[in-house]
Amino acid sequence: MKKVILSIGLGLIVSSVSAQVVNSTKIHISEGALVSFGTDVTNSGEITNNGKVHLRGDLKNNAKLVSKGEVVVDGSTPQTISGTQVAEMSKVAVENDINLQTPVSVSEEVSFRKGIVSSSNGSALELGDNATHNGASDLSHVSGSVKKTGNSSFEFPVGDGTSLKSFQANKMSGNTLEAQYIARNPLDVASELDYDVEEINQTEYWVLKSNDNNTVDVKLNDNSDVAYLKGGVWVKDNKRMAVSSANKEGALFTTGKGRAITKEIGVWPNPTQGEFNLKLTGMRDTDNISVDITNQDGRVVMKMDGTVKQLRKAYTLPQGMVTTNLTVRVINGTEAMTQNLILNR
């Protein structure tokens, strides 16, 4: 049989009228102890839990609450955790619907068994550096905000209260990331698709926020391609997604389908008597590129820098040049494309 040890002062009041436990002093639950609060609890003093606590009513935490043991939230009706102070817990087992109206900070583990955790931006479920979770499913996950601090990969157990819509964030840089799933059309946020994006999901998107400047790789559980919002445009990019504290709305991403587009250049007329047009395809108009033209000796006879839109135009070769073979080179990021051009004068 479990041994129960409580250090309780005179500040503990049990009211049968309000069916509530009000604590204004210290409650210490020792290691190995098993305690069940069958009513609502208001903490205005100090609660320390080193054992196991079953919480079957609401919790209002206005003071210090530190649980190094386990807290099982298993009431028979939906429960609320509120108050002016963060509830600090090592292990939490979710066995009922919980509405978070104040942050709950977990340092070791959250076990999702049954029940939905509802939270908002100001009352997130917060998992520390070494915290993990298990058991997330359609029946038990977070509908709202989840925060995670640390360097390791982490799967955010978010969803809409009906379906689990988790995703994995890789190569986190040690800062705190906050994630939320939104069951709305991302085209309502921004409707422009990048040149190599054929379509995006029109029913859902995810939001990531950071307390600092962060870059993250995200992976959806069904391995769908990811499109994210960049400068008001939905893009597919091999670069890590930037998540910055300067962006108050957060970094948005969803699933997307890309187009198979090959970057190409072309020149016409070819041969030319001195004037030619430069064709640039498979690149964004806003991409910064470099264009140079070299002769057979490798000497650069013309060089221009600018965006694709600026340099997709007609060119005139220098008047003093005579008939020769030239090479037109376009550099776009790490890619270089070349095209032979014959000058016939």
Side-chain angles (χ1 to χ4, degrees):
M1 183 176 178
K2 293 282 187 179
K3 183 180 180 183
V4 180
I5 303 175
L6 295 180
S7 300
I8 302 175
L10 296 177
L12 179 66
I13 302 172
V14 179
S15 171
S16 59
V17 176
S18 61
Q20 186 178 38
V21 175
V22 180
N23 173 52
S24 59
T25 181
K26 292 184 178 181
I27 297 179
H28 179 84
I29 302 170
S30 299
E31 185 176 354
L34 175 62
V35 175
S36 177
F37 290 104
T39 62
D40 297 345
V41 176
T42 297
N43 178 40
S44 299
E46 182 177 331
I47 298 177
T48 301
N49 170 38
N50 292 327
K52 184 174 183 178
V53 170
H54 284 265
L55 185 63
R56 296 195 165 104
D58 295 343
L59 170 64
K60 188 173 185 178
N61 185 49
N62 293 329
K64 185 176 182 180
L65 187 158
V66 178
S67 174
K68 295 183 179 179
E70 183 180 7
V71 175
V72 182
V73 185
D74 57 350
S76 58
T77 59
Q79 293 168 259
T80 298
I81 297 178
S82 62
T84 59
Q85 301 298 314
V86 176
E88 299 179 10
M89 304 181 185
S90 291
K91 296 181 179 180
V92 178
V94 178
E95 296 190 2
N96 190 27
D97 292 341
I98 308 169
N99 179 18
L100 298 186
Q101 296 181 5
T102 192
V104 172
S105 177
V106 180
S107 60
E108 291 187 27
E109 185 179 51
V110 180
S111 296
F112 292 97
R113 296 172 184 171
K114 61 179 180 179
I116 302 299
V117 179
S118 301
S119 65
S120 62
N121 291 340
S123 60
L125 178 64
E126 303 176 354
L127 287 85
D129 284 8
N130 301 313
T132 61
H133 67 84
N134 64 77
S137 67
D138 290 344
L139 298 177
S140 189
H141 56 265
V142 178
S143 176
S145 296
V146 176
K147 287 185 177 182
K148 179 66 173 75
T149 301
N151 295 307
S152 58
S153 298
F154 182 76
E155 184 173 323
F156 283 89
V158 293
D160 61 0
T162 301
S163 301
L164 175 67
K165 298 288 185 175
S166 61
F167 71 92
Q168 185 166 296
N170 301 312
K171 300 179 182 178
M172 295 169 59
S173 60
N175 299 317
T176 298
L177 287 178
E178 180 177 0
Q180 188 170 3
Y181 170 78
I182 308 293
R184 291 201 295 268
N185 189 347
L187 294 177
D188 291 341
V189 180
S191 59
E192 185 177 351
L193 305 183
D194 203 9
Y195 74 102
D196 60 350
V197 177
E198 183 174 337
E199 61 183 12
I200 64 171
N201 189 311
Q202 296 185 30
T203 62
E204 62 186 4
Y205 61 93
W206 291 258
V207 180
L208 266 180
K209 296 181 180 180
S210 176
N211 66 341
D212 204 340
N213 294 326
N214 223 323
T215 55
V216 183
D217 290 333
V218 296
K219 180 182 178 182
L220 298 172
N221 281 348
D222 61 1
N223 291 319
S224 297
D225 290 336
V226 174
Y228 64 89
L229 193 61
K230 181 179 181 181
V233 180
W234 292 102
V235 304
K236 281 174 54 61
D237 201 324
N238 292 329
K239 297 179 181 177
R240 288 159 57 83
M241 186 169 66
V243 187
S244 171
S245 58
N247 184 357
K248 302 303 181 183
E249 300 302 317
L252 278 60
F253 65 94
T254 187
T255 58
K257 181 180 178 181
R259 292 189 177 98
I261 295 179
T262 303
K263 295 180 181 180
E264 293 180 333
I265 68 170
V267 292
W268 83 93
N270 189 14
T272 177
Q273 294 183 347
E275 293 186 356
F276 68 93
N277 297 283
L278 178 61
K279 180 178 74 172
L280 301 169
T281 59
M283 291 170 266
R284 300 183 185 91
D285 283 350
T286 55
D287 281 357
N288 290 312
I289 62 172
S290 176
V291 177
D292 60 52
I293 302 171
T294 57
N295 63 16
Q296 290 176 300
D297 297 329
R299 182 171 62 88
V300 177
V301 295
M302 289 181 67
K303 181 175 174 60
M304 294 73 62
D305 294 302
T307 65
V308 169
K309 185 176 182 179
Q310 292 169 338
L311 300 184
R312 186 191 286 122
K313 62 177 185 177
Y315 292 84
T316 301
L317 294 169
Q319 287 292 333
M321 294 185 64
V322 296
T323 299
T324 186
N325 290 329
L326 302 168
T327 299
V328 179
R329 183 178 67 165
V330 175
I331 299 175
N332 178 219
T334 59
E335 295 183 67
M337 295 153 280
T338 59
Q339 175 71 55
N340 292 329
L341 174 65
I342 299 173
L343 174 60
N344 189 5
R345 279 178 174 165

